[in-house]
Amino acid sequence: MSREIITIVDLKRDFIMGPETVHALKGISFTVKEGEFVTIMGSSGSGKSVLLHILGCLDRPTSGIYELDGLNVKDLCKDELATIRNEKIGFIFQSYNLLARTSAIENVELPLLYSNKVSSAEQRERAIEALERVGLGNRLHHTPGQLSGGQQQRIAIARSLINNPVIILADEATGNLDTRNSYEIMALFQKLNKQGITIIFVTHEPDIASFSSRTIVLRDGLVIQNDKNSNILSAEDELAKLPKQDAML
Amino acid sequence: MKLLKLFKIAFKAVILNKLRTLLTMLGIIIGVASVIAMLAIGEGSKESIRASITSMGSNMISIQPGADVRGGVRRSRTEMQSLTLKDYEAIKEKASLLSYVTPSVDGGGQVINGSNNWPSTIYGVNPDYLSIRVWDLQSGSMFTDADVKSAGKVAVIGKTIVDNVFLEGIDPVGQMIRFNNIPFKVIGVLEEKGENTSGLDQDDVVIAPYTTVQKRILAIDYLREIIASAVSEDEAQNAVTEVSGILRVQHKLAENEDDDFHVRSMDELISTSSSTSEMLTILLVAVASISLLIGGIGIMNIMYVSVKERTKEIGLRMAVGGKGSDILMQFLIEAILISITGGLLGVILGLGSTVFIEKFLHWPTSVSLYSIVISFAVCAVTGIFFGWYPARKASALDPITALRYE
């Protein structure tokens, strides 16, 4: 059987707000295996962002177990977390978070700038490779301002791929895009997933969730649903079904 | 290698905000340029003040016989015969801190030319004398060592003598004068010097080889004085000590015996000269520090704004693996880059304006290497000092908050 990339057991996260303690996560357990494409859904305030921050090693749980790629993350210090983010995780954000007035290639290289293990030449090579993988091989030297939202998100995806992460964490990655671009991005995710990349996708749109292999639903800091998706839609096919005039816009 | 990468990131950030970077640098540029230009002007005037003080003979050293007590009667220095040519030769040979040295004998008398006469003083010296007093010739030439050896009857005279014993329009050079009835051929005329600080007319002199004055006018074989100049003003005091040592050996004085001579330097002139220099230096350093401080605050201000403005970017950098220390280094390098580039441009501008001032305003200037080195070093330190706080602020950001910052 394929190995477990993420194991969380009874994960809790409390925030102390003055006299009150807010229990954002009240004991969450699940595992994500290599090659899975998991969507985490939930309305706002359900704790999905907090969970994603913990999964992304940007935040630490108050209690519980979090193992990433066999590593116990809970007790690591700030700098060690930074190294894990640098080597094992790829982030994709709703608002792309690209560096303005900086070429696509340099944006993609960014994570490797904080790594000691990759030479400048290899860095460039890998950036080009990643951009080709997301279909932007002909836009290497464009700056974000010269590209569409969909293309910008592709750069962000290329950036998340460059360090060969064990998992990609996407936070509402299609939230700023129209349906056509959303589906294109989802098609890209499905393609990458088929190539063996493990993806966790946070969204609140049910149609996006239907492209993934499993859906975890959170409410009030607890998992209320954790089901394999029996009917995985192909984003390619859905894209083809969209009305033609949409493409003209 | 990581540092190189961070340097690239910082360089990129500086390049991306050209106008802002330039405006930030402006404070440093103007600061450094003004420091260099001011120090150049300061050094220039310092040197010209120094030169004029030196021309008053600030590094001159005078050695006179000491008053002696014999049989209870104190005798005037001028009667003392304890200073001899041997002493002069010993000093000339052994002293390392002296650049010129001359024996000196003097005597009063009447200068006569035709029907004109004038009371004056004749100084018997060697050719070094003009260099020691920093006197120049207006015309003719100084006598030579050969004249000294042969006790030649040649003389160089001052302006006052010329005015009083020569008729107007006659060139004194080549003419004969008599001093106490001894004929001298005038071979040079001194440049006009005016009165010295104690009101003595420095142009009222006749200068002749000391051998001539000793033998033909005074009929003595000892010296009234030995005059020397120290290699520099700063060494004058050491030269006094050195000469004293040489003379004590020469005069075979025992440990417990007092000096039988007096060696004096121009202390007052030296202290005037150095206090003027010190004042100028303090003033310039004060001005320099203020302008660099203002430049530094400019850097801090802009770096602080930059950190605020790029909060989200910092969040992203942290999310993809940038450590707090990486972010700190990045912003610190940025600040240093701005200050050093500014410093470099400032040096160029400062040198440029110095040349301009020298060429068009005709102020004396002197660019010293140390002013460039110091202002540049201060610049780098300023960058680190004023870049530290904003950089620290950036590195302490929480990645989640930073990412959410709008």
Side-chain angles (χ1 to χ4, degrees):
Chain A
M1 216 20 222
S2 53
R3 67 193 171 115
E4 284 167 0
I5 297 291
I6 285 178
T7 308
I8 56 178
V9 182
D10 198 24
L11 202 70
K12 290 181 182 164
R13 180 70 170 99
D14 301 335
F15 292 98
I16 295 162
M17 306 286 230
E20 280 176 75
T21 303
V22 177
H23 304 284
L25 299 179
K26 297 172 182 166
I28 286 180
S29 308
F30 63 79
T31 57
V32 176
K33 289 193 171 129
E34 190 172 21
E36 273 197 289
F37 187 170
V38 178
T39 338
I40 296 177
M41 289 192 60
S43 54
S44 92
S46 60
K48 61 184 190 321
S49 287
V50 175
L51 179 61
L52 191 78
H53 289 149
I54 291 175
L55 292 179
C57 295
L58 288 167
D59 195 7
R60 271 172 289 196
T62 311
S63 69
I65 294 171
Y66 173 28
E67 276 179 18
L68 174 69
D69 198 23
L71 237 105
N72 192 345
V73 171
K74 192 173 170 277
D75 301 320
L76 297 180
C77 74
K78 259 183 148 182
D79 280 359
E80 287 167 325
L81 288 179
T83 307
I84 290 201
R85 292 198 295 271
N86 188 242
E87 291 172 358
K88 294 194 180 293
I89 297 169
F91 273 107
I92 298 162
F93 305 92
Q94 179 172 359
S95 51
Y96 327 130
N97 279 359
L98 299 175
L99 299 180
R101 287 176 291 165
T102 305
S103 72
I105 206 161
E106 282 171 313
N107 262 298
V108 173
E109 280 176 341
L110 188 67
L112 295 185
L113 292 180
Y114 295 102
S115 161
N116 270 330
K117 296 174 181 168
V118 183
S119 71
S120 297
E122 194 190 340
Q123 181 177 305
R124 181 115 310 197
E125 233 168 75
R126 276 164 72 169
I128 294 169
E129 198 186 310
L131 278 165
E132 279 166 354
R133 224 167 147 186
V134 300
L136 284 179
N138 53 348
R139 296 279 191 277
L140 299 180
H141 300 286
H142 287 60
T143 60
Q146 297 168 320
L147 298 168
S148 73
Q151 287 170 321
Q152 290 187 43
Q153 194 60 299
R154 282 167 192 267
I155 296 176
I157 294 169
R159 183 178 63 196
S160 75
L161 291 171
I162 193 160
N163 54 352
N164 298 324
V166 295
I167 189 151
I168 285 184
L169 298 172
D171 186 5
E172 302 271 14
T174 57
N176 281 10
L177 300 172
D178 59 23
T179 314
R180 172 168 288 275
N181 273 311
S182 295
Y183 285 7
E184 274 175 3
I185 292 295
M186 290 320 289
L188 177 59
F189 274 124
Q190 284 188 324
K191 188 180 118 198
L192 294 171
N193 182 238
K194 280 210 183 76
Q195 291 166 1
I197 293 171
T198 316
I199 299 167
I200 294 184
F201 200 103
V202 171
T203 184
H204 60 268
E205 295 167 73
D207 59 329
I208 294 296
S210 61
F211 298 124
S212 67
S213 59
R214 182 148 63 103
T215 307
I216 295 172
V217 181
L218 296 186
R219 184 184 293 162
D220 293 335
L222 289 168
V223 175
I224 57 162
Q225 186 194 323
N226 183 356
D227 294 333
K228 276 241 156 70
N229 198 342
S230 50
N231 179 27
I232 304 170
L233 295 178
S234 157
E236 288 277 1
D237 297 347
E238 293 304 309
L239 203 53
K241 286 186 211 159
L242 284 177
K244 284 280 184 267
Q245 62 266 41
D246 214 22
M248 303 299 289
L249 289 175
Chain B
M1 186 166 86
K2 194 162 188 184
L3 204 66
L4 189 74
K5 285 179 173 178
L6 289 173
F7 182 83
K8 276 186 192 163
I9 296 175
F11 187 72
K12 188 97 201 166
V14 167
I15 290 291
L16 273 180
N17 289 299
K18 280 193 200 76
L19 185 64
R20 188 171 73 184
T21 305
L22 200 73
L23 288 174
T24 313
M25 276 182 192
L26 214 54
I28 292 286
I29 293 174
I30 292 173
V32 170
S34 64
V35 167
I36 288 178
M38 291 238 231
L39 281 178
I41 294 168
E43 278 301 313
S45 23
K46 216 152 104 178
E47 267 168 34
S48 72
I49 291 170
R50 210 177 248 271
S52 61
I53 290 176
T54 308
S55 76
M56 293 160 81
S58 63
N59 55 354
M60 204 168 91
I61 286 170
S62 128
I63 302 138
Q64 291 177 341
D68 193 13
V69 185
R70 268 191 207 150
V73 183
R74 290 192 164 194
R75 298 194 297 173
S76 155
R77 274 179 199 169
T78 45
E79 288 174 50
M80 295 298 303
Q81 304 189 5
S82 58
L83 210 58
T84 64
L85 266 177
K86 285 211 166 82
D87 294 336
Y88 158 72
E89 278 154 12
I91 292 171
K92 191 164 176 66
E93 191 184 323
K94 291 175 190 158
S96 59
L97 297 172
L98 301 179
S99 41
Y100 299 105
V101 52
T102 177
S104 172
V105 286
D106 55 83
Q110 214 68 13
V111 183
I112 304 158
N113 174 41
S115 57
N116 299 311
N117 70 89
W118 179 255
S120 188
T121 311
I122 190 163
Y123 290 89
V125 293
N126 74 10
D128 278 358
Y129 188 69
L130 290 191
S131 308
I132 295 171
R133 301 303 300 260
V134 205
W135 284 357
D136 269 328
L137 288 172
Q138 189 188 58
S139 62
S141 60
M142 184 63 180
F143 53 80
T144 62
D145 284 324
D147 292 321
V148 172
K149 217 165 198 174
S150 62
K153 286 182 269 183
V154 289
V156 171
I157 56 174
K159 186 76 171 21
T160 306
I161 311 274
V162 175
D163 289 346
N164 287 291
V165 303
F166 285 98
L167 292 172
E168 221 164 301
I170 293 177
D171 181 5
V173 175
Q175 302 285 322
M176 295 299 288
I177 54 168
R178 279 178 294 145
F179 191 92
N180 286 1
N181 285 328
I182 310 291
F184 284 90
K185 187 182 178 191
V186 176
I187 57 167
V189 176
L190 292 169
E191 211 157 61
E192 199 171 351
K193 290 280 283 185
E195 292 175 354
N196 73 1
T197 43
S198 42
L200 198 75
D201 182 0
Q202 299 182 88
D203 298 319
D204 191 4
V205 290
V206 177
I207 298 173
Y210 67 92
T211 44
T212 315
V213 177
Q214 268 184 327
K215 284 177 196 160
R216 301 191 197 270
I217 294 182
L218 301 173
I220 54 171
D221 60 358
Y222 56 88
L223 301 176
R224 286 271 166 76
E225 197 178 2
I226 296 171
I227 308 170
S229 64
V231 285
S232 73
E233 209 179 274
D234 303 330
E235 290 290 353
Q237 218 42 53
N238 294 334
V240 168
T241 317
E242 189 184 34
V243 167
S244 298
I246 294 169
L247 282 181
R248 283 189 72 88
V249 172
Q250 190 68 21
H251 289 183
K252 301 187 176 67
L253 295 175
E255 285 284 329
N256 55 354
E257 275 181 286
D258 287 336
D259 291 350
D260 63 351
F261 53 86
H262 284 280
V263 185
R264 294 182 302 140
S265 63
M266 307 291 132
D267 285 334
E268 202 180 322
L269 280 180
I270 291 173
S271 68
T272 309
S273 153
S274 60
S275 73
T276 315
S277 304
E278 265 166 40
M279 275 283 287
L280 261 169
T281 309
I282 291 170
L283 191 76
L284 292 166
V285 166
V287 173
S289 348
I290 290 172
S291 45
L292 277 174
L293 180 75
I294 292 171
I297 292 172
I299 289 191
M300 180 146 152
N301 184 23
I302 215 70
M303 289 311 291
Y304 194 71
V305 171
S306 176
V307 167
K308 270 261 180 279
E309 188 184 276
R310 284 152 67 192
T311 302
K312 198 156 187 175
E313 178 194 320
I314 294 166
L316 169 75
R317 289 181 184 279
M318 286 177 158
V320 299
K323 296 186 179 114
S325 55
D326 295 335
I327 306 292
L328 182 89
M329 280 310 282
Q330 177 193 330
F331 279 89
L332 210 52
I333 291 172
E334 255 179 61
I336 295 169
L337 258 180
I338 291 177
S339 60
I340 284 187
T341 316
L344 212 62
L345 293 175
V347 168
I348 294 167
L349 186 70
L351 292 179
S353 36
T354 304
V355 171
F356 180 85
I357 288 166
E358 174 104 55
K359 268 231 153 67
F360 294 98
L361 298 180
H362 303 293
W363 291 4
T365 60
S366 162
V367 176
S368 50
L369 186 67
Y370 90 91
S371 72
I372 296 176
V373 172
I374 284 183
S375 54
F376 204 71
V378 169
C379 238
V381 172
T382 306
I384 296 173
F385 185 79
F386 289 100
W388 177 261
Y389 180 70
R392 176 95 209 119
K393 197 110 182 152
S395 71
L397 282 173
D398 173 41
I400 299 171
T401 335
L403 271 171
R404 285 197 178 147
Y405 186 87
E406 287 300 333

